[in-house]
Amino acid sequence: MDLPLSAGGRPALAATAVPPHIRADLLARAGNPLAPVSGYVYDPAVAAERVRALRAALPGWAKICYAVKANTYRPLLAAMAPHLDGFEVSSAAEADLARGVSPTALLVSSGPGKTMPTLNRLLHNNIGVVNVESRLELARLNQAAGLAGRRVAVTIRVNPKQVEVAGSLTMGGAATVFGLPEDEVPAALAAAAALPNLDVVGFHVHAVCQNMDAAAHAAYVRWCLEWSAATAAEHGVELRAVGVGGGIGVPFEGGPEFDTMELCELLGAMAPPSGVDVIFEPGRWCVTDAGWYAAEVVDVKHAYGTWFAVLRGGINHFQLPTSWDIRHPFAVLPVETWPVDWPRPEAVDVPVTVVGELCTPEDTLARDFQVSRVRAGDLVVFPMAGSYGYEFAMPHFLGHPPAERRVVRGQAS
C-alpha cells in the first residue's frame, strides 16, 4: 500500500513547468548559503486575468466576491479588485484588509462562531451582507447592529439535507458546523423577523470545496436559486440575495481544468428572480496558479531504500499537500553554484521524497516522485501554490524563519 502523498514513481515536473520570469528570479537569488531561497513568489497578473475572464463570461446577475481566506497577500487582492464585485471575509482581519484594498467594494462575511468583537469590526468596515450561521448569532448580530446604529442585511446559511455535487470537502448534506440544517430554517426566519436591526435578504449555501464538474456545479447553483425562491415565498421573505459559495476546483495533481466556460454557458440559461443578486465566492480557483513555493535543498540523504531531499522550509511554510493528502508535483531547478568546499550530495534517476526542516516525520511535502537529478543547493519549486499556502501553514513550530513572500511580474503584468 502506498504511503500518504506517494506518487509511486510518477515523474517530477520539468524545470520548464516554471514560467521563465519566475525561474529567472529564483535562480538569480540562489547560491547564497547565508540567505537560502525559501518562500513564495506571486505574479498578480495571473490572478487578475483569471477573475477578469470569469467576470466577462458570467451572466450579469452574478456577483463575484473573492474568498480572502485563500490568499491574503495584498498585491494579489489589489490586482483582482478592479474585476471583482467584492470580497468574502471570514474574520475581522480579513475585513480590515479587504476594506483597505477597496473602500467601496461589497463585503460578505461567513464563518461560524462570530464574536461580538468580530461583528463590531465587520460593522465598522461597513459589511454588506452577513451570512448568519446560528440562532444565537442572529441575536448577537442584532445587538451589535443596534450598538452601531444601523440595520444589517443578513442571509441565513443553510446546510441542505442533500447535495448533488461532489468535492474534496463536503459542508452540506452532512453533520458539519456550518450553517443551519434545512429543517431549522423556518424557525430561524421567524426569530430574525422579530429582531429590529436585521434585514433578512435571502440565503447562503456553500456546500462543497474543490468540485471539478462544471455541469454538476451549474445544477447545484440552479438548486440554490429554486430552493431559495420557494422558501422565501413560503415564509414572506423579500428575496434579494442568494449566496452560492465557492467550490470551483483546481487540478493540483494534474488532469483537466474545471471548465469555467461550460459553467458560464449553463448559468447563462438560468433566470434568477428579478432583483436578486447571486453571489459567487471563488477563492482557490482565482489565485492557485498565481503562486509558486520554492525552497533550497539543504541536504540529500538515503535511508533504507528511500532518497530524501531536505528543504529549507517544509510544512511550516507549505502545509497544504500534507493536510489534504495531495500528491503535489514539483520541479527541480538546477543551481550550478556550489560556493563551498564540502561534498555535494545528489540523487540521480530515482524516486525522491521531499521533506522539510521540522523535527517531525509529518514534515513531508511529496513522496516518491521520479527525478533525473537533485543536489544540495538546487531549488525545488511547487507550482499551483497560490492558494492555502502561506496562510495555511504552521509557521511557529520550532521557530524557523518564516516563508518570504514577493511579487515577480511577467511581461503581461
Side-chain angles (χ1 to χ4, degrees), residues 61 222 264-271:
W61 45 259
R222 182 183 293 279
C264 292
E265 289 175 7
L266 293 169
L267 294 176
M270 300 180 193

Side-chain angles (χ1 to χ4, degrees), residues 19-83:
H21 66 296
I22 303 298
R23 290 203 311 271
D25 173 80
L26 293 172
L27 291 173
R29 295 187 290 119
N32 181 354
L34 298 180
V37 171
S38 183
Y40 291 87
V41 177
Y42 302 106
D43 186 345
V46 175
E49 176 55 25
R50 284 179 80 84
V51 295
R52 185 207 64 77
L54 183 62
R55 171 72 278 166
L58 280 171
W61 45 259
K63 290 189 177 296
I64 307 175
C65 291
Y66 166 68
V68 176
K69 67 178 74 68
N71 191 313
T72 62
Y73 196 40
R74 188 184 179 104
L76 291 181
L77 272 66
M80 291 186 286
H83 312 292

Side-chain angles (χ1 to χ4, degrees), residues 10 23 100 110-111 132 169 188 199 239 243 259 267 273 319 352 360:
R10 173 183 168 190
R23 290 203 311 271
S110 300
V132 174
L169 289 177
D199 179 19
L239 188 63
D259 192 339
L267 294 176
Q319 192 177 12
V352 168
T360 168

Side-chain angles (χ1 to χ4, degrees), residues 34-329:
L34 298 180
V37 171
S38 183
Y40 291 87
V41 177
Y42 302 106
D43 186 345
V46 175
E49 176 55 25
R50 284 179 80 84
V51 295
R52 185 207 64 77
L54 183 62
R55 171 72 278 166
L58 280 171
W61 45 259
K63 290 189 177 296
I64 307 175
C65 291
Y66 166 68
V68 176
K69 67 178 74 68
N71 191 313
T72 62
Y73 196 40
R74 188 184 179 104
L76 291 181
L77 272 66
M80 291 186 286
H83 312 292
L84 297 169
D85 296 288
F87 298 92
E88 185 265 331
V89 299
S90 296
S91 69
E94 289 185 0
D96 290 344
L97 172 63
R99 186 54 77 215
V101 169
S102 179
T104 59
L106 170 65
L107 296 191
V108 178
S109 173
S110 300
K114 301 182 190 72
T115 63
M116 283 296 290
T118 296
L119 293 171
N120 290 338
R121 197 67 195 169
L122 293 175
L123 293 167
H124 172 81
N125 280 299
N126 194 27
I127 194 74
V129 180
V130 177
N131 299 323
V132 174
E133 306 259 354
S134 75
R135 291 277 298 276
L136 177 58
E137 191 174 297
L138 283 170
R140 190 177 284 138
L141 178 58
N142 180 67
Q143 181 181 7
L147 293 172
R150 60 168 288 192
R151 199 158 184 249
V152 183
V154 303
T155 54
I156 303 298
R157 183 167 182 176
V158 182
N159 180 346
K161 292 179 182 177
Q162 188 171 353
V163 178
E164 299 295 339
V165 63
S168 61
L169 289 177
T170 299
M171 295 170 291
T176 71
V177 71
F178 302 104
L180 287 161
E182 192 175 330
D183 57 7
E184 295 184 18
V185 170
L189 290 173
L195 299 173
N197 303 315
L198 304 186
D199 179 19
V200 177
V201 299
F203 306 95
H204 173 80
V205 184
H206 180 33
V208 72
C209 287
Q210 191 62 358
N211 170 47
M212 298 300 297
D213 186 333
H217 208 84
Y220 155 75
V221 172
R222 182 183 293 279
W223 178 89
C224 291
L225 295 176
E226 292 175 348
W227 185 92
S228 296
T231 304
E234 181 180 354
H235 296 282
V237 174
E238 181 187 349
L239 188 63
R240 283 160 280 163
V242 177
V244 297
I248 300 175
V250 296
F252 285 115
E253 298 185 6
E257 293 270 352
F258 182 95
D259 192 339
T260 53
M261 292 303 101
E262 179 186 5
L263 173 66
C264 292
E265 289 175 7
L266 293 169
L267 294 176
M270 300 180 193
S274 178
V276 173
D277 290 328
V278 183
I279 303 171
F280 291 77
E281 300 169 0
R284 174 186 296 104
W285 183 87
C286 299
V287 293
T288 292
D289 285 337
W292 296 260
Y293 174 66
E296 180 177 321
V297 179
V298 297
D299 207 347
V300 175
K301 302 173 64 175
H302 183 265
Y304 299 109
T306 297
W307 283 94
F308 296 92
V310 185
L311 302 185
R312 159 70 268 274
I315 60 174
N316 53 331
H317 293 173
F318 186 45
Q319 192 177 12
L320 182 66
T322 301
S323 295
W324 281 23
D325 197 17
I326 297 171
R327 289 146 188 82
H328 197 138

Side-chain angles (χ1 to χ4, degrees), residues 1-7 321-322 325-327 364 366-368:
M1 182 175 67
D2 283 343
L3 291 168
L5 304 176
S6 176
T322 301
D325 197 17
I326 297 171
R327 289 146 188 82
T364 301
R367 194 184 300 275
D368 301 326

Side-chain angles (χ1 to χ4, degrees), residues 318-369:
F318 186 45
Q319 192 177 12
L320 182 66
T322 301
S323 295
W324 281 23
D325 197 17
I326 297 171
R327 289 146 188 82
H328 197 138
F330 59 87
V332 177
L333 298 190
V335 176
E336 300 310 325
T337 303
W338 183 246
V340 291
D341 245 354
W342 313 322
R344 189 178 191 183
E346 65 178 14
V348 179
D349 291 329
V350 291
V352 168
T353 292
V354 177
V355 299
E357 61 192 338
L358 303 184
C359 194
T360 168
E362 294 183 7
D363 192 10
T364 301
L365 278 65
R367 194 184 300 275
D368 301 326
F369 277 89

